[in-house]
Amino acid sequence: MYIYEFLKALKLYPIDFTRYPNNAFYLGIYTIDEIIQKDIKHSKDHQYYLVYFLQQKDKLYSIDIDKEMDMIRQYNDYILILPHKSTIYLDEAMIEAMRLYDELVSNFAFQWSTAIFASMLHNRKTSQKPTLSYFYYNPIIYQMAYARFVYFIKMYCYYRLRKNRRGYPVRHFEEHLKNMILMYIQKDCHTYHIYQLTNYENNEFDLFLSQISKNKI
């Protein structure tokens, strides 16, 4: 029943794409003090994305992103805590989490698969176009999507491996996850028998995974 408990506890925030112009060049994140120094129109937020349009070469614009940065911070603040003995199964739990995530991508509005994140993290080409194009060429959308992806993996690992014992923060999780992502995409990521990916049986996982597509929206 851990998958039900995991999905019930999961808190995923929607990403609003409509706030960002498609034809803008994103020049980086700036504080309100830096925006004021540059004499650029701004709101009351504390952080901004500076954007530039080729059609208006002599002018810079700002997009307030306090809400987006707060979303990223909330995802990043989640610390995975597990008993030491459970961490020996962490690799397998990560693979299960990625397989579940990708099945949800195929059937619901998650949008970005593990393979796309792998392309961004390991500088791989995807269909002869920049991987950032999958994120509407917008770095802040990528940062939000990736933070949400890592949070999803952490939460799954917690509910998969938690025990009624004292836990400890898992160190260097994200660095290890990057390696596991690369390992995962080299496998048969479309199997409905998780044993083929992990060499461990998980009947609850297989049963749940095989039923996701019937709920496609």
Side-chain angles (χ1 to χ4, degrees), residues 20-176:
Y20 308 99
N22 293 327
N23 58 339
F25 286 81
Y26 294 88
L27 304 180
I29 297 174
Y30 292 80
T31 66
I32 188 169
D33 291 337
E34 292 170 318
I35 292 294
I36 291 173
Q37 289 177 4
K38 296 180 183 296
D39 195 25
I40 299 170
K41 187 178 179 180
H42 59 277
S43 66
K44 295 181 179 179
D45 279 25
H46 294 89
Q47 296 180 88
Y48 297 83
Y49 231 113
L50 202 59
V51 299
Y52 167 75
F53 298 91
L54 286 178
Q55 300 86 343
Q56 297 172 297
K57 299 179 181 178
D58 301 325
K59 193 169 184 179
L60 294 173
Y61 296 84
S62 66
I63 300 175
D64 50 284
I65 56 169
D66 275 7
K67 182 179 178 181
E68 289 82 350
M69 297 305 292
D70 184 59
M71 179 195 302
I72 293 170
R73 189 160 39 250
Q74 288 186 58
Y75 285 140
N76 291 342
D77 283 348
Y78 179 78
I79 297 173
L80 177 60
I81 297 177
L82 294 173
H84 282 317
K85 290 185 177 180
S86 295
T87 58
I88 63 174
Y89 302 107
L90 186 58
D91 289 3
E92 290 75 20
M94 284 182 174
I95 290 174
E96 288 180 358
M98 287 184 274
R99 179 65 189 93
L100 176 60
Y101 183 91
D102 282 346
E103 191 67 16
L104 292 170
V105 167
S106 300
N107 293 283
F108 296 93
F110 276 60
Q111 287 195 275
W112 301 286
S113 67
T114 302
I116 292 176
F117 289 121
S119 297
M120 285 294 292
L121 292 169
H122 297 282
N123 297 317
R124 290 165 167 252
K125 288 184 178 179
T126 307
S127 302
Q128 302 302 312
K129 63 180 180 180
T131 310
L132 192 61
S133 65
Y134 289 91
F135 302 92
Y136 307 93
Y137 297 95
N138 188 330
I140 194 70
I141 291 178
Y142 165 69
Q143 290 176 48
M144 287 188 288
Y146 184 65
R148 186 171 68 176
F149 170 76
V150 174
Y151 164 76
F152 181 99
I153 305 299
K154 285 181 178 179
M155 284 283 285
Y156 178 89
C157 290
Y158 172 73
Y159 281 91
R160 177 73 171 97
L161 301 175
R162 64 177 179 168
K163 305 291 181 182
N164 293 324
R165 294 195 297 268
R166 182 178 179 183
Y168 302 87
V170 177
R171 296 182 179 180
H172 311 300
F173 180 89
E174 286 195 46
E175 291 83 353
H176 186 52

Side-chain angles (χ1 to χ4, degrees), residues 154-200:
K154 285 181 178 179
M155 284 283 285
Y156 178 89
C157 290
Y158 172 73
Y159 281 91
R160 177 73 171 97
L161 301 175
R162 64 177 179 168
K163 305 291 181 182
N164 293 324
R165 294 195 297 268
R166 182 178 179 183
Y168 302 87
V170 177
R171 296 182 179 180
H172 311 300
F173 180 89
E174 286 195 46
E175 291 83 353
H176 186 52
L177 176 60
K178 290 176 184 178
N179 294 326
M180 292 303 300
I181 289 171
L182 197 57
M183 182 183 300
Y184 168 79
I185 64 170
Q186 294 171 350
K187 295 175 177 284
D188 177 13
C189 303
H190 303 290
T191 180
Y192 287 87
H193 187 191
I194 197 63
Y195 178 87
Q196 296 177 7
L197 295 178
T198 65
N199 292 322
Y200 284 92

